[in-house]
Amino acid sequence: MIHIELPEDVRYIISSLKAEGHEAYAVGGCVRDCLLNTAPKDWDITTSAFPDDVKRIFPRTIDTGIKHGTVTVMLKGTGYEVTTYRVDGEYLDGRHPENVSFTGNLDEDLKRRDFTINAFVYSDETGVKDLFGGLDDLKNGIIRCVGNPEERFGEDALRILRAIRFAAKLGFEVEPETYRACIKLRQNLSKVSSERIKAELDKILVSPNPGHISVLREMGISQVIMPELDRADISGLSAALERAEAELPIRWAVLCFFLARSDRDSASELMRRLKFDNRTRDRVLLFIRIAEGKLPVPRDPEFRKACRILINHTGKEDVFAFLSFCEALSAAFPVFDNDYETILQEIKDIFEKKECTSLKELAVNGRDILEISDVGGAEIGRILEALLRKVMDEPELNRKEELLKLVPEMAGA
Ligand code: ATP
Ligand code: MG
């Protein structure tokens, strides 16, 4: 019998439910991850107990999805989703079941799950229960639907993207019948919300195989959810994504860089449609814009100054992410070949020496300028910018009295 070392809290939840006469198991992704020897992100529990029972047994719970039978049990600040065995009603919209009903039968609950490798349950007493051959699929690296793939994707088209996401994350193959059904039912993805689509795309992009994003094009799926990808020249995209750090904004920036090369507006259009938060969207667009300009080159006599200007353009907090983005692009475009290590060291040194790279760090501010001259608001901005340019040229100038000496001439200009 396979043994999984359950966390103490999970064992406690399962044994408390059992003590009250219910069945309870760890279920789904957490069992899969343990069998793959990776640490699960979170632990889900499936039980024959009804939500009201769960709420009675545990002192601190949250009604996470009470209609769907999910109650979150809070233990020492960590939440565990405890869900009643359920059968999904009919899916009429290709997204959500019309209703769900609770069942006393574990097998019924497992049948509604998407893939064989996501349909395990485990408890210390029973070991792993594997109804659909998931252990073999796990061993052989296969993503296979539980039941009839066309039916399953017809119920919930998001599962199509989940199949590709798990293939990317685990380096698995999608089993041929499941693969064909993904292609056949791809049009249904147009009914899935952009938030859920984005969440899956995010997971593909930060996976160890982000190049799987191009699988979406091979399968005709991008036509439905990301037509920008079909219009772009994506040769080199996989190499660049795989070179990039597994950080979402960096991987998205790489993908969007390719999209924007073929069509300027497509990157911002895609991010708008997928409801990116403004900060990420602005960052990605800024990275693309800066990458079109000249980047610091160590053998350039003005190298250090170019580094300061780069910091000014990206902002201090984003300069390393930006460099990482450029380095990833070098896997596809020779113009991005550069000595990134040296640039990195130079920038660290600029930070260490506290050289000024932004208006915030300038030794004078608008008020200082107003005190010695009577220029207007717009003029002040222009003067501060000019002072900053000088200081980025010559960091030693960044002293209040030095800078104020320059103001009268500038104000007169
Ligand atoms: P992750 O590592 O992303 O958390 P996971 O497999 O745990 O992967 P969750 O979205 O947390 O995925 O879902 C938990 C479990 O619920 C899955 O393992 C699967 O059994 C089931 N499940 C989730 N989404 C679906 C779906 N759309 N259709 C069918 N079953 C699903
Ligand atoms: Mg999970």
Side-chain angles (χ1 to χ4, degrees):
M1 199 162 91
I2 303 173
H3 176 75
I4 289 175
E5 197 56 41
L6 297 175
E8 196 188 320
D9 287 351
V10 176
R11 261 188 290 137
Y12 168 75
I13 293 171
I14 292 177
S15 60
S16 305
L17 287 162
K18 283 187 170 167
E20 298 284 320
H22 307 290
E23 297 174 13
Y25 300 88
V27 67
C30 58
V31 181
R32 176 200 67 221
D33 290 344
C34 288
L35 293 169
L36 289 166
N37 278 322
T38 57
K41 271 200 323 286
D42 39 38
W43 290 83
D44 296 323
I45 287 136
T46 187
T47 180
S48 59
F50 287 156
D52 281 346
D53 301 322
V54 177
K55 289 168 72 166
R56 204 169 329 105
I57 295 171
F58 300 98
R60 287 199 53 219
T61 60
I62 300 168
D63 290 1
T64 314
I66 205 85
K67 278 212 315 265
H68 298 99
T70 303
V71 171
T72 298
V73 172
M74 297 301 301
L75 293 176
K76 300 174 231 131
T78 305
Y80 300 88
E81 286 196 357
V82 178
T83 304
T84 305
Y85 295 167
R86 64 172 221 229
V87 225
D88 293 340
E90 253 196 293
Y91 286 78
L92 299 178
D93 60 357
R95 284 176 295 185
H96 316 286
E98 289 302 297
N99 50 62
V100 305
S101 46
F102 300 140
T103 167
N105 185 340
L106 171 63
D107 294 6
E108 289 298 318
D109 178 86
L110 294 179
K111 276 190 215 156
R112 74 173 170 88
R113 295 179 183 271
D114 49 5
F115 306 114
T116 60
I117 61 161
N118 286 346
F120 301 118
V121 286
Y122 176 86
S123 73
D124 287 335
E125 291 78 9
T126 59
V128 174
K129 190 165 168 177
D130 170 27
L131 276 192
F132 311 106
L135 284 172
D136 282 338
D137 287 343
L138 206 57
K139 194 168 73 213
N140 299 322
I142 288 173
I143 307 295
R144 182 198 313 269
C145 280
V146 168
N148 178 313
E150 288 189 21
E151 278 172 27
R152 306 316 309 285
F153 294 147
E155 291 165 355
D156 176 5
L158 186 75
R159 292 171 186 155
I160 297 172
L161 281 187
R162 284 176 57 92
I164 297 163
R165 183 252 283 197
F166 286 115
K169 180 176 161 195
L170 305 172
F172 282 19
E173 296 287 330
V174 180
E175 173 276 326
E177 204 190 326
T178 299
Y179 185 90
R180 277 194 297 275
C182 284
I183 294 176
K184 187 162 173 193
L185 287 148
R186 64 186 188 275
Q187 210 58 47
N188 287 14
L189 276 165
S190 64
K191 297 184 245 174
V192 175
S193 75
S194 43
E195 288 86 351
R196 292 176 86 198
I197 288 179
K198 167 151 190 307
E200 295 303 322
L201 295 176
D202 282 351
K203 288 178 182 170
I204 295 173
L205 283 175
V206 291
S207 79
N209 301 292
H212 271 57
I213 212 82
S214 62
V215 168
L216 297 175
R217 183 154 133 174
E218 288 154 27
M219 297 175 79
I221 292 171
S222 46
Q223 276 166 22
V224 185
I225 58 168
M226 191 166 36
E228 293 84 359
L229 192 66
D230 297 74
R231 295 198 292 268
D233 175 358
I234 58 167
S235 36
L237 172 62
S238 293
L241 284 172
E242 265 146 40
R243 175 82 66 86
E245 258 177 87
E247 296 284 334
L248 258 193
I250 297 178
R251 295 241 166 120
W252 270 112
V254 169
L255 174 58
C256 286
F257 182 86
F258 278 77
L259 303 182
R261 263 177 12 114
S262 324
D263 167 7
R264 278 227 120 276
D265 299 328
S266 64
S268 53
E269 170 56 22
L270 174 67
M271 289 189 281
R272 191 194 55 73
R273 226 180 38 248
L274 293 180
K275 303 204 172 73
F276 272 60
D277 63 281
N278 290 343
R279 156 122 175 97
T280 307
R281 197 202 52 209
D282 292 348
R283 254 175 118 190
V284 167
L285 293 175
L286 179 73
F287 280 17
I288 294 174
R289 210 167 339 111
I290 302 174
E292 284 166 349
K294 209 175 152 315
L295 302 173
V297 182
R299 58 176 186 283
D300 187 330
E302 303 236 293
F303 173 53
R304 194 170 176 96
K305 179 181 170 189
C307 287
R308 286 186 212 110
I309 292 174
L310 178 65
I311 299 168
N312 173 258
H313 287 166
T314 62
K316 272 184 155 166
E317 54 298 337
D318 276 344
V319 69
F320 294 121
F322 174 78
L323 288 172
S324 169
F325 159 72
C326 293
E327 183 167 22
L329 291 178
S330 72
F333 308 107
V335 287
F336 285 96
D337 284 341
N338 208 332
D339 179 356
Y340 289 100
E341 192 45 45
T342 303
I343 303 177
L344 220 77
Q345 288 312 326
E346 196 77 10
I347 288 177
K348 281 189 187 154
D349 195 59
I350 290 170
F351 284 164
E352 240 159 62
K353 306 224 158 73
K354 298 196 163 54
E355 290 174 17
C356 170
T357 57
S358 68
L359 286 176
K360 268 205 315 277
E361 297 158 300
L362 206 58
V364 296
N365 59 27
R367 221 171 312 117
D368 300 326
I369 293 175
L370 266 183
E371 270 171 24
I372 60 157
S373 69
D374 54 359
V375 291
E379 193 70 346
I380 291 178
R382 193 185 58 79
I383 294 172
L384 288 172
E385 289 289 347
L387 290 174
L388 177 61
R389 275 197 301 279
K390 281 202 177 295
V391 165
M392 288 209 285
D393 228 353
E394 267 179 84
E396 318 73 61
L397 266 183
N398 196 23
R399 289 188 317 235
K400 191 165 172 179
E401 62 281 17
E402 287 296 325
L403 293 179
L404 288 180
K405 274 188 222 157
L406 299 169
V407 171
E409 196 186 330
M410 288 177 166

